[in-house]
């Protein structure tokens, strides 16, 4: 291998996989909403950013540790998700027959509103969450594992596991999957689709908030940061396909792996080109994504 050592190559793979775990938890809520209500929620990443800012300000103003801040981030984003479903999404669904197209405009508008609120209250200054483990690494041979990345990956893995258990081993989750697969059939079976959909929106934005906290441990944030995140959300969902938590998890790791290896071999500005080039090639072979059920 020319221009890069074996250790550097392994380091890029490990770093990419750790980053891919965060992409997974960032995308899993987006995939849930797209599957259950056919809403393309473009505001999903900006609400992840809200979670990141809550984590930052709790640390700055009250000294709340970022991991403890999840106790506040999760319920706050859950409630925002339920309110969002009960108001603008439900009202739009009653007014249109093509909710998917209408949701693109609607959620983009919500994105702009939330971004401008963040800009007004938090200013454009980049913010960085600094903890007692920031900058520290664990070494396995010559391979460095950032503690921030390891903790974020652990949080992401636990979150995706809980979402999987929720969907496959709880009544609410099974009802959500029933609506996902056949809404009319679910209604005929007596499932309260409005309640299940509201809970699913809450779970979706709660996972976004968790992803935002994880991101804030690794990168600085400012009100426009979410535009970079939406690219990876789309990449993971497109590659994995809507309908599989396991597929989202695997595709997130694949995306992270592609980014990690690409960053070691080519200039940074070419990474997105390579990433989406590979995704387009894969979709030419399997347009529904690799893991859609």
């Amino acid at each position: 291998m020319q221009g890069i050592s074996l250790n550097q190559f392994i380091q890029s793979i490990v770093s990419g996989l750790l980053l891919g775990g965060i992409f997974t938890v960032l995308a899993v809520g987006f995939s849930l909403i797209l599957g259950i209500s056919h809403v393309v929620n473009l505001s999903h990443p900006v609400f992840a950013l809200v979670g990141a800012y809550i984590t930052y300000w709790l640390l700055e103003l009250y000294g709340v540790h970022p991991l403890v801040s999840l106790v506040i981030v999760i319920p706050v984003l859950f409630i925002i998700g339920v309110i969002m479903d009960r108001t603008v999404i439900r009202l739009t669904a009653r007014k249109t027959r093509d909710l998917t197209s209408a949701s693109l405009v609607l959620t983009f508008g919500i994105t702009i509103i939330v971004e401008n609120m963040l800009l007004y209250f938090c200013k454009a200054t980049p913010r960085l969450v600094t903890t007692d483990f920031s900058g520290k690494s664990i070494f396995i041979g010559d391979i460095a594992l950032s503690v921030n990345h390891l903790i974020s990956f652990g949080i992401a893995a636990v979150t995706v596991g809980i979402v999987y258990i929720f969907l496959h081993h709880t009544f609410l989750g099974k009802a959500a999957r029933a609506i996902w697969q056949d809404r009319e059939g679910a209604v005929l079976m007596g499932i309260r689709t409005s309640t299940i959909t509201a809970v699913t929106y809450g779970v979706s934005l709660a996972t976004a908030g968790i992803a935002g906290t994880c991101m804030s441990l690794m990168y600085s944030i400012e009100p426009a940061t979410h535009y970079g995140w939406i690219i990876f959300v789309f990449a993971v969902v497109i590659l994995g396909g809507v309908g599989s938590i396991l597929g989202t998890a695997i595709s997130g790791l694949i995306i992270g792996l592609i980014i990690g290896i690409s960053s070691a071999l080519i200039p940074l500005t070419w990474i997105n080109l390579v990433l989406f080039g590979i995704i387009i090639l894969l979709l030419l072979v399997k347009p529904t994504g690799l893991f859609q059920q």
Side-chain angles (χ1 to χ4, degrees):
M1 188 176 302
Q2 188 174 4
I4 180 174
S5 69
L6 179 60
N7 280 338
Q8 288 174 318
F9 185 68
I10 296 173
Q11 179 74 64
S12 65
I13 290 176
V14 172
S15 300
L17 289 175
L18 292 178
L19 185 60
I22 315 304
F23 292 159
T24 296
V25 77
L26 187 61
V28 69
F30 181 92
S31 182
L32 272 178
I33 294 305
L34 182 57
I36 198 169
S37 63
H38 305 292
V39 167
V40 182
N41 185 13
L42 295 179
S43 64
H44 190 79
V46 84
F47 282 113
L49 189 59
V50 170
Y53 269 110
I54 292 175
T55 297
Y56 172 81
W57 286 115
L58 284 174
L59 176 65
E60 287 295 307
L61 299 178
Y62 306 107
V64 178
H65 195 281
L67 301 183
V68 179
S69 73
L70 287 172
V71 177
I72 297 174
V73 169
I74 292 172
V76 167
L77 269 295
F78 182 90
I79 292 170
I80 292 175
V82 172
I83 293 173
M84 184 175 167
D85 169 66
R86 293 276 174 157
T87 54
V88 289
I89 297 295
R90 197 159 298 187
L91 181 62
T92 304
R94 284 200 292 264
K95 299 288 185 181
T96 181
R97 292 183 178 180
D98 186 3
L99 183 58
T100 300
S101 300
S103 68
L104 284 169
V105 179
L106 174 68
T107 57
F108 181 71
I110 293 172
T111 299
I112 298 301
I113 292 171
V114 175
E115 180 187 336
N116 278 274
M117 290 176 67
L118 291 175
L119 190 60
Y120 179 81
F121 289 107
C122 303
K123 311 305 177 187
T125 307
R127 312 284 182 176
L128 182 63
V129 172
T130 305
T131 64
D132 50 352
F133 49 79
S134 295
K136 295 183 178 178
S137 297
I138 296 173
F139 286 87
I140 301 177
D142 293 329
I143 307 302
L145 302 175
S146 162
V147 174
N148 275 354
H149 283 65
L150 283 174
I151 290 176
S152 297
F153 183 85
I155 294 172
V158 170
T159 302
V160 173
I162 291 174
V163 172
Y164 182 87
I165 292 172
F166 167 73
L167 286 176
H168 291 267
H169 298 288
T170 67
F171 171 77
L172 287 176
K174 291 177 181 177
R177 290 171 58 207
I179 297 171
W180 193 325
Q181 294 165 8
D182 186 349
R183 176 174 286 271
E184 292 183 359
V187 171
L188 292 175
M189 292 300 293
I191 293 174
R192 299 179 64 179
T193 56
S194 61
T195 301
I196 301 300
T197 303
V199 170
T200 306
Y201 267 85
V203 171
S204 170
L205 286 204
T207 61
I210 295 170
T213 297
C214 293
M215 284 292 196
S216 72
L217 291 175
M218 300 187 298
Y219 304 106
S220 64
I221 54 172
E222 47 98 7
T225 300
H226 62 95
Y227 290 117
W229 296 353
I230 189 69
I231 294 174
F232 301 116
V233 169
F234 273 118
V236 172
V237 174
I238 290 170
L239 183 62
V242 178
S244 171
I245 298 301
L246 183 60
T248 302
I250 295 173
S251 62
L253 294 177
I254 292 174
I255 296 297
L257 193 60
I258 292 173
I259 292 174
I261 295 175
S262 300
S263 62
L265 300 176
I266 61 176
L268 190 63
T269 52
W270 285 77
I271 292 177
N272 286 343
L273 179 65
V274 171
L275 174 63
F276 282 92
I278 293 174
I279 291 174
I280 289 171
L281 289 176
L282 288 173
L283 292 183
L284 287 175
V285 179
K286 197 171 189 306
T288 56
L290 294 179
F291 305 100
Q292 187 172 31
Q293 297 176 343

